[in-house]
Amino acid sequence: MTEYGRGQGSEPWYPEDPSHGDVGWGGQQGHPGQSPQTGQQQYPRGGPQYGAGPLEPQSGHPQEYVQQQHAGQGYDQWTGQQPAPGHSDGYGQQYQGGWEAAQPGQIPYGTDPTAPYAGHPEAYGAEPPDYYGTPEAYPPPRPPAHRTAAPAPPDESAGDREDWDPARPDREAPAAPRHADAPDDYDYEDEEPPGRSGGREDRRGGRSGKEGKRKRRNGCACLLVTAVFVGGIGAVGYFGYQFYQDRYGAPEDFAGAGTDENVSVDIPKGAIGSLIGQKLKEAGVIKSVDAFTQAQNRHPQGKSIQDGAYILRKQMSAASAVELMLDPKSRNNLIIAEGRRNIWVYEQIDKRLDLPEGTTKDVALTEWKSLGLPEWATNGAASRKDPLEGFLYPSSYPVAEGAEPAEVLKKMISRAKSQYAAHDLDGKARELGLKGPLELITVASLVQAEGRTHDDFKKMAAVVYNRLKPDNTVTNQKIEFDSTYNYLRNQSKLDISIKEIRNLDHPYNTYFYKGLPPGPIGNPGEDALSAALEPDDGGWMFFVSVDGKTTTFTDNLTDHNKLVEEFNAGRTKGD
């Protein structure tokens, strides 16, 4: 399409355009390639195409140009202006209007279309008709730079309606014409007339619809990019902060001394800081293990936290938890020392629970089957003085007001089972010539009752195993421990009459019966159990404590009798 709105074909691009056919000054048109004023060769805008002569069809004007000039309305095709009436063309003639004798698209017969005044009788003085002076006439055509396409009626019958006004600003004009040499994606809405600057505005004074939509799209795109950019920065900042906190930041921790809710935490023996912290976190005491280990390392006595049961508060700061665990008040629980008998444990539970004396003992003797003993401990339980003896493991246990005796006993038995399960009691018992794990626990209770130190425990275990040997003719396979007699009597005497101890018929009296007693005589600790599992390899048969502090072991009766005389002599002087 050319810049004057006409295509390369013979038809105008919009036949209803009121400016259709405006190709010259009042219909007068010179030679297609010649200026009417000067007679010089003149080319259309853009110049002649390469290789075309001034009168050839490709010289800048379409071949049907001569026909189109007859439909003109006195409009200058080249300048975009309409000659005023009476204007001279340079030949002394005035132009007054169009060709009244010619029909659109036709040339009068015998008329030279290139003649300056051919077919224009008004050029010789006749008054031309005024095509724009009546109310029904179209308005005068505008220059090409200011033309707008005529609005189309809304439907086929709209042209006959009196209320349809083509000049109404709310009528949308048809799409702009397409240039013949324009690319397919050329945007005519953005095309501006020569000489204008700034954005295009529509007839209502606002931006064109397409430009507005494009700007809205650009705005949304900018907003989306900004949101993505800000979100990316936020994500990087968040993960960066988490990375910093994990590597260099302080661990999570509660503040203060905790709530009013108490909780009991059982710390196993040998537990280090991280395991202690894990137990406290599971119980809801602290918020993180790292916070506890740091607080424990900062405290001068932090490494001295012992195993046992602690009564703490929930949601404590790690530093507060360390302080409370180092305070003896936090261990104001029932602490079972190594070697304690069950009868003493029952009494302590009754006191702490404010129960009548003997309540816990009755529960133990009547409900022992439901308290969680290992299966190997139930065999022959009826023949034992107390089925639970040896299974209330030495440790610290919370015995808070309102607790039930059975629940407290279950915790103690559960602790014993877990400790005993850490050893191969059954295999070790067969290796040592015992009948099963229960006898091994019984040996450990004897060692715990008679020994004084860790070194004593291994030699004391050797004494037990040597006296149980079938070839023992010195004691005839009798253990002969005073501790067994004291157990059945529920006493702790050192001076026991030989006559009394040897004549009492009772299964726990090792002076009267051969072999081990029916069951443990107390609750052994870990050291005594280890000694029972790995006894000394000496041939120790006898032992005596001369000074009451150390124990001397011998492997023959002669040496033992000398030590007994020394012991008796010391007691006589002391009396």
Side-chain angles (χ1 to χ4, degrees), residues 68 147 221 239 253 393:
Q68 293 175 353
R147 287 184 181 179
F239 288 109
D253 196 4
Y393 195 81

Side-chain angles (χ1 to χ4, degrees), residues 434 439-448 461 464-465 468 516 532:
L434 302 175
E439 287 194 349
L440 207 159
I441 300 302
T442 301
V443 173
S445 68
L446 296 174
V447 171
Q448 185 78 62
V464 173
Y465 290 127
L468 290 176
L516 295 172

Side-chain angles (χ1 to χ4, degrees), residues 104-169:
Q106 297 182 1
I107 301 176
Y109 180 79
T111 304
D112 186 1
T114 62
Y117 305 105
H120 289 269
E122 64 275 13
Y124 295 93
E127 183 68 24
D130 187 358
Y131 296 108
Y132 306 103
T134 62
E136 295 81 4
Y138 285 112
R142 302 177 67 187
H146 299 279
R147 287 184 181 179
T148 57
D155 51 39
E156 297 180 357
S157 61
D160 298 332
R161 287 164 47 186
E162 295 181 358
D163 58 346
W164 182 75
D165 186 2
R168 280 177 57 183

